[in-house]
């Protein structure tokens, strides 16, 4: 190689080593990409948080329904109290208020009323006596966020104000 060309080539290599760091454009592109990814991920994250909170209401209603069925096998009527069911569930959590309504010898209903009516569904479970199988049970959830519990009908297998829980 010619010595002139070698000198310019070495000068060029040394010049590139002196330019360290990122340009403003490169940084802006990275920030925009991070912003787009965050905009895509945030709604998904928020919906997962609501699903997790809704699962609390679902599982508590299911636990009370099963406890009521067991209680009715040993007693002449359903329980009207969480204390007598002895399942250790509170009547209120951060997300729901739980109540037992209409407990008598023939039926009972447990409601999980959402405290955050803009994001959480409400749930209900009902147990009735049945001459052939002992008891019938059904649980329902509202179709969207609500502060009103649906009304399950275990005999007709319908939900007024909601849909069956899956």
């Amino acid at each position: 190689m010619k010595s002139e060309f070698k000198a310019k080539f070495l000068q060029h290599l040394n010049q590139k080593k002196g330019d360290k760091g990122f340009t403003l454009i490169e940084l802006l592109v990275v920030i925009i990409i991070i912003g787009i990814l965050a905009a895509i991920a945030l709604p998904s994250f928020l919906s997962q948080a609501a699903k997790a909170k809704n699962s609390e209401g679902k599982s508590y209603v299911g636990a009370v329904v099963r406890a009521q069925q067991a209680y009715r096998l040993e007693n002449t009527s359903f329980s009207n109290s969480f204390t007598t069911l002895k399942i250790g569930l509170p009547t209120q959590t951060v997300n729901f208020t739980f109540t037992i309504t209409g407990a008598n010898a023939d039926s009972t209903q447990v409601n999980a009323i959402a405290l955050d009516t803009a994001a959480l569904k409400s749930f209900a479970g009902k147990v009735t006596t049945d001459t052939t199988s002992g008891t019938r049970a059904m649980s329902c959830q509202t179709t969207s966020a609500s502060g009103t519990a649906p009304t399950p009908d275990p005999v007709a297998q319908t939900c007024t104000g909601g849909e069956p829980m899956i």
Side-chain angles (χ1 to χ4, degrees):
M1 274 194 203
K2 292 186 179 181
S3 59
E4 257 179 65
F5 181 69
K6 286 181 184 176
K8 285 187 178 184
F9 181 69
L10 289 174
Q11 233 179 10
H12 179 70
L13 289 176
N14 288 338
Q15 185 181 26
K16 286 292 182 185
K17 288 182 184 176
D19 295 337
K20 292 183 179 180
F22 300 105
T23 66
L24 184 59
I25 298 295
E26 290 170 331
L27 289 175
L28 285 175
V29 167
V30 169
I31 290 171
I32 289 170
I33 290 171
I34 290 172
I36 290 170
L37 291 174
I40 292 169
L42 188 62
S44 176
F45 172 74
L46 293 177
S47 72
Q48 292 301 320
K51 283 181 184 178
K53 290 177 183 177
N54 277 328
S55 70
E56 174 192 355
K58 256 186 200 184
S59 64
Y60 276 33
V61 165
V64 173
V65 165
R66 287 185 296 279
Q68 286 284 25
Q69 288 174 315
Y71 185 86
R72 179 66 173 89
L73 287 173
E74 297 175 2
N75 299 283
T76 58
S77 67
F78 292 102
S79 172
N80 61 359
S81 160
F82 288 95
T83 307
T84 57
L85 289 176
K86 298 178 183 175
I87 54 175
L89 295 178
T91 56
Q92 183 163 351
T93 64
V94 175
N95 302 310
F96 294 95
T97 299
F98 302 95
T99 58
I100 295 175
T101 59
N104 56 39
D106 297 323
S107 69
T108 186
Q109 182 168 325
V110 60
N111 297 321
I113 306 298
L115 297 176
D116 181 0
T117 58
L120 301 177
K121 295 179 178 183
S122 290
F123 303 91
K126 188 168 189 172
V127 185
T128 60
T129 56
D130 185 1
T131 56
T132 58
S133 63
T135 60
R136 284 185 177 216
M138 183 171 189
S139 298
C140 298
Q141 64 186 8
T142 56
T143 54
S144 60
S146 174
T148 306
T151 306
D153 183 352
V155 176
Q157 291 293 302
T158 60
C159 293
T160 305
E163 62 190 6
M165 282 199 305
I166 299 170

